[in-house]
Amino acid sequence: MISNLSEVFSKTIGEGTNIWQFCVVLQGAKIGKNCNICSHCFVENEVVVGDNVTVKNGVYLYDGVVIEDDVFVGPNATFCNDKYPKSKNKNFKLEGIVVKKGASIGANATILPGVVIGENAIVGAGSVVTKDVPAGAKVVGVF
C-alpha cells in the first residue's frame, strides 16, 4: 500500500510494503518487502532498505544509508552522511551508514557518517553514535 498522499518515484518497492502519507521516496531508492515506512519520511536515491524494516515517523534516509533486514528505526532518528557539512560544498565526501540485520535504533538517536551499527545492536533513544557499534551491543548517550 502506498498512500496517495505520498510521492514515490522508485519502482523498487517490495511486495507487502506500506508507505504512509507525506513520504517522499526518490527514484533510485530500493525498499524491500514487508516494510513499514511511516508518515513524514524521506528516502533519497542511494538508499537501500532490506525486508521487514520499520521506519517510524519523521526519519530521513539520505544517500549512502543501508538498512539491512529486520531493523527498527525509531521516530525522528537522524542519519548524517557528511562529516563536514557546508552549503554548496564542492568537496562533499559521502560517507554512508550501515545498520546491520536485526538492529534497533531508538527515537531521536543521531547516527554520524561512516558508522556501522552491528547485527542485533540496540541504540538507545536520544543517543549520538560517533563510532561503530559492535554486534549485540546496547549503547546509550554519546558513544
Side-chain angles (χ1 to χ4, degrees), residues 10 12 25-26 28-32 35 37 43-51 53 55 61-69 71 73 79 97-100:
S10 175
T12 312
V25 180
L26 298 184
K30 295 174 178 66
I31 300 176
C35 294
I37 311 298
V43 183
E44 208 164 23
N45 280 300
E46 296 176 35
V47 172
V48 177
V49 176
D51 298 334
V53 171
V55 178
L61 302 175
Y62 297 113
D63 286 344
V65 173
V66 175
I67 298 179
E68 294 184 355
D69 298 345
V71 167
V73 180
F79 294 84
I97 295 169
V98 177
V99 182
K100 296 286 192 174

Side-chain angles (χ1 to χ4, degrees), residues 2-143:
I2 297 175
S3 171
N4 62 355
L5 296 176
S6 285
E7 292 194 68
V8 178
F9 302 101
S10 175
K11 302 295 183 208
T12 312
I13 308 290
E15 184 178 338
T17 287
N18 292 315
I19 300 177
W20 295 94
Q21 65 274 21
F22 312 120
C23 292
V24 175
V25 180
L26 298 184
Q27 185 174 0
K30 295 174 178 66
I31 300 176
K33 62 184 181 192
N34 300 315
C35 294
N36 193 31
I37 311 298
C38 295
S39 67
H40 297 91
C41 289
F42 175 76
V43 183
E44 208 164 23
N45 280 300
E46 296 176 35
V47 172
V48 177
V49 176
D51 298 334
N52 307 308
V53 171
T54 297
V55 178
K56 296 305 278 183
N57 307 64
V59 174
Y60 306 137
L61 302 175
Y62 297 113
D63 286 344
V65 173
V66 175
I67 298 179
E68 294 184 355
D69 298 345
D70 306 311
V71 167
F72 173 85
V73 180
N76 301 305
T78 300
F79 294 84
C80 306
N81 66 1
D82 184 1
K83 284 186 181 173
Y84 305 100
K86 190 174 179 183
S87 180
K88 310 288 186 189
N89 184 2
K90 292 180 173 89
N91 298 313
F92 170 76
K93 181 182 176 203
L94 176 68
E95 293 189 59
I97 295 169
V98 177
V99 182
K100 296 286 192 174
K101 182 177 180 172
S104 183
I105 299 173
N108 293 304
T110 299
I111 315 301
L112 295 184
V115 167
V116 175
I117 297 176
E119 195 166 312
N120 298 311
I122 297 174
V123 174
S127 295
V128 177
V129 179
T130 64
K131 59 188 174 186
D132 292 352
V133 177
K138 295 177 184 163
V139 298
V140 296
V142 177
F143 178 81

